[in-house]
Amino acid sequence: MTDIFNYGTDHLTIGICLDIAAGKTKGIINKEAADMIKSSWREVEKIVHSHHPVYGINTGFGPLCDTRISEEDTSLLQSNILKSHSVGVGKPIPQEIAKLMMITKVQALAQGYSGIALATLQRIIWHIDNDIIPVVPEKGSVGASGDLAPLSHLFLPLIGLGEVFENGGRIPAGELLKKHGLQPLSLGPKEGLALINGTQFILAFAVKAVQRLDDTLNRADLIGAMSLEGLMGSIRPFDERLHQIRPFKGTRMVAHRLFTLLDGSEINSSHINCDRVQDPYSLRCMPQVHGASRNAWLHLKELTEIELNSVTDNPVIFNADDTISGGNFHGQPLALPLDYATTAAAEIGNIADRRCYLMSEGRYGLPKLLTHDAGLNSGLMIPQYTTAALVTENKTLCFPASADSVPTSLGQEDHVSMGSISGRKLHQVIDNIEYIQAIELLYAAQAMDFRRPLKSTPVIEACHQLVRQHVAFIQDDRVFAVDINSLHKLITDGSLLKTAVEAAIAHQIDLSHDEFGIY
């Protein structure tokens, strides 16, 4: 039975938003929200008939805000804004992101401050429910006054323009409407502006980034623990007492998870009394480094959820006599944490690359380049070149887009957030990290095999076994790109984390922390 979410009246979380996009939860407009929407619509009608100038209802847009629009042209004004602002370029954004844009836009508009028609919201929900997704180019937004260009493309199909994806195909929106027996909508006063004013492009990328970065951080702890076992590192740096006296949330969480993952390992027990005083930073500082990125993730999650339940339209309609032209559409509140999260994500790749290098050095009883016959075989020499390249690429992506602003709209919009770029860059960094983690997994599994017959803990052994089901132990050189791509698939399809969770549940090992969930 599908769960129900009430747009405009229920609290939207990141998890619920993703579930609506996945079809696991159905979003509806209940009577309470419908009444608020209709009331706001009536207030806009009063403004039109009163001829009192209110931005975007009976005036032009941006630098044309002082140009008055006649009552009979108010509807044409709204369809014109969708056409004229559809200036996006580049390849289409992922369909899931476009769907998240629609979901978050309905949540914002259904709160009853935007003067949108109920029928317009119901048409958007029809697109969501039937998985008919508008084609939205990836570039063109400066993140204020809202994500104008991408949102314009997103809602062109409402008036029969633009393109949509349906059942894997890409077709003109007008053709799609005819196919389903629907007519293009005639937008009323304020509707076009309400549709395109807002942060939903930035927000959709943030919602998906919270999920993807969460997975990335979970894998970092897991693969890092496997690397530590391969390198016969110590679990002493993960002692809870150490982190109680420097109690950052993320650090404590990572230390607890690493200790739990490694506690009881035969590999670890075999070298408790060795003469190694301390491990390199990439091993013993995992709580501090992974944990700092966890703290950034928590910050992004918190601010994203605030934005999910916010009204980011302009002007905001309290009633016909009380409208405010403000700046709730400005993307800065998300642009900054997205840039912060980008750096935090890149650091996960940086430290993973260092562990790969460490495993190839031939230290701590491991053969050089993790191969028995180095010389004739290059072994795992060159995969670390790839991690180094990806790490450097990520560094170039860490320049904060929000640190820049180019004035637009003839100077009316003289400071913009560039948060749309922040959101896209974060996903590019995560894309690269998924390959870095695949390569670290290749190294870690190989290193662990040199510790046999000693075993690690149930969770780590289950993950090692999963790797070996897809990638054989490396005896001689082969095309390692094939191995990397096989492990990359285990990472991106969720198999690695699923295996870890199932093993933890089977052995009653608690790896979870409620505050780090997305629901």
Side-chain angles (χ1 to χ4, degrees), residues 282 289-290 293 342-357 384 387-396 398 429 432-433 436-437 440:
S282 61
V289 178
H290 294 190
S293 295
T342 300
T343 301
E347 281 300 292
I348 294 300
N350 288 353
I351 196 169
D353 165 73
R354 292 298 81 210
R355 290 191 292 263
C356 292
Y357 187 90
Q384 189 266 328
T387 63
L390 293 171
V391 161
T392 295
E393 184 173 317
N394 280 351
K395 289 175 186 175
T396 69
C398 281
V429 169
N432 287 337
I433 293 171
I436 294 171
Q437 290 184 327
E440 185 185 1

Side-chain angles (χ1 to χ4, degrees), residues 115-315:
I116 198 83
L118 180 59
T120 303
L121 290 183
Q122 288 170 335
R123 177 64 65 83
I124 300 171
I125 293 171
W126 176 84
H127 277 270
I128 296 167
D129 290 347
N130 290 280
D131 210 32
I132 296 172
I133 311 301
V135 175
V136 179
E138 64 178 348
K139 300 177 183 180
S141 172
V142 295
S145 143
D147 293 309
L148 296 174
L151 284 167
S152 296
H153 285 278
L154 186 73
F155 294 121
L156 275 178
L158 298 180
I159 60 173
L161 301 176
E163 294 181 295
V164 296
F165 292 108
E166 183 187 33
N167 298 325
R170 179 172 170 173
I171 61 174
E175 183 180 322
L176 180 281
L177 294 179
K178 289 180 182 177
K179 174 182 171 182
H180 290 274
L182 298 172
Q183 294 294 319
L185 298 180
S186 177
L187 298 179
K190 176 74 164 59
E191 288 202 273
L193 184 60
L195 289 168
I196 71 169
N197 234 334
T199 61
Q200 284 73 36
F201 182 86
I202 302 172
L203 179 55
F205 275 97
V207 167
K208 189 62 181 176
V210 170
Q211 181 192 48
R212 292 188 70 200
L213 186 52
D214 183 37
D215 288 345
T216 298
L217 292 164
N218 289 333
R219 286 191 303 267
D221 298 340
L222 179 62
I223 300 171
M226 293 176 69
S227 296
L228 184 137
E229 287 285 70
L231 287 159
M232 283 193 162
S234 173
I235 68 169
R236 289 275 290 166
F238 315 141
D239 188 308
E240 181 182 8
R241 294 171 299 168
L242 183 64
H243 303 287
Q244 284 176 339
I245 57 176
R246 197 191 188 202
F248 289 106
K249 284 184 178 180
T251 303
R252 293 182 66 188
M253 181 265 199
V254 172
H256 169 79
R257 177 172 284 173
L258 288 169
F259 192 91
T260 303
L261 280 168
L262 295 163
D263 190 30
S265 160
E266 289 179 6
I267 298 174
N268 181 260
S269 299
S270 72
H271 60 88
I272 285 178
N273 296 315
C274 71
D275 59 2
R276 197 193 310 177
V277 176
Q278 58 185 18
D279 296 324
Y281 289 0
S282 61
L283 298 180
R284 64 182 158 111
C285 294
M286 281 192 281
Q288 290 79 8
V289 178
H290 294 190
S293 295
R294 266 288 172 194
N295 291 332
W297 177 86
L298 275 173
H299 186 57
L300 177 63
K301 175 196 167 194
E302 176 192 357
L303 299 190
T304 298
E305 193 156 310
I306 291 172
E307 191 78 333
L308 277 174
N309 296 282
S310 298
V311 175
T312 55
D313 190 10
N314 180 61

